[in-house]
Amino acid sequence: MSFINKLKDFFSTHQETRENHYNPDLKSHYYKTAYKNALQSVNSLIEQIPGMTVTSISEERGEMSVTIDKPRKGFLIVTVISVRPYETAVDFTATTNTFLPTDFGFSKKIILQLYKKLDEKETLVGTGKSGR
C-alpha cells in the first residue's frame, strides 16, 4: 500500500470493501454458504454487538443498513451477493459521523472486526477476485 493511500485512509471518515481494493484487508470476502444463510449470519452477528442496530433489511437486494451509536456514531451498509450456489460475497461500507476530517481508523476497524467475526462463523473461501 502506497504512502498516498495510507494518507487518504487516515484523513477519511469512510471506508468500503470491494473486489479490487488496494488494501488486501478490505477486499470482498467470499463464504461457502447460501445467500439467505449469509444474510442471517450477518444480521445475528450485528445484533450481538452492543451499540449497533439493524435499521432495515432488503432481502431482494441483499442489503442491510445499520446505525452505530457506540463508541462513535456512524452508519454501516452491508451488501450480500450470491455469486453461485453456496458461494456468497459480503461487502461493507462504513461511515463515521464526526466534525473532524478523520475518524482515526474507526470505520476501517469496524469492518475488520465484522469480517473477523464472520470468518469465525462461516467458511471463508477467499478474498477479492484472486482469492476465489
Side-chain angles (χ1 to χ4, degrees), residues 8-9 12-16 93-96 103 107-108 111:
K8 277 196 285 188
D9 280 353
S12 174
T13 59
H14 174 85
Q15 282 293 336
E16 66 181 272
T93 302
T95 304
T96 307
D103 64 3
S107 52
K108 181 179 175 182
I111 291 172

Side-chain angles (χ1 to χ4, degrees), residues 2 17 30 44 52 54-55 63 65 73 76-78 95 100 103 124 130:
S2 73
T17 62
Y30 290 85
S44 66
M52 287 193 181
V54 176
T55 54
E63 290 186 345
S65 60
K73 291 198 179 284
L76 180 73
I77 299 287
V78 183
T95 304
L100 298 173
D103 64 3
L124 180 68
S130 61

Side-chain angles (χ1 to χ4, degrees), residues 6 13 25 30 32 49 58 60 92 95 113 118 123:
K6 285 183 182 180
T13 59
D25 294 335
Y30 290 85
K32 187 176 184 176
I49 299 173
S58 173
E60 311 81 54
F92 296 103
T95 304
Q113 173 189 7
L118 195 57
T123 305

Side-chain angles (χ1 to χ4, degrees), residues 9-67:
D9 280 353
F10 182 76
F11 287 106
S12 174
T13 59
H14 174 85
Q15 282 293 336
E16 66 181 272
T17 62
R18 62 179 176 265
E19 280 296 307
N20 299 328
H21 205 285
Y22 56 84
N23 184 342
D25 294 335
L26 296 176
K27 289 189 177 190
S28 301
H29 282 212
Y30 290 85
Y31 298 96
K32 187 176 184 176
T33 187
Y35 166 79
K36 289 198 179 219
N37 291 343
L39 199 60
Q40 187 177 12
S41 289
V42 173
N43 186 23
S44 66
L45 184 117
I46 287 174
E47 287 177 346
Q48 294 173 0
I49 299 173
M52 287 193 181
T53 309
V54 176
T55 54
S56 76
I57 300 174
S58 173
E59 284 192 29
E60 311 81 54
R61 300 186 68 180
E63 290 186 345
M64 181 184 309
S65 60
V66 179
T67 57

Side-chain angles (χ1 to χ4, degrees), residues 19 27 30 87 125-132:
E19 280 296 307
K27 289 189 177 190
Y30 290 85
E87 187 173 340
V125 176
T127 62
K129 286 183 179 176
S130 61
R132 293 190 297 155

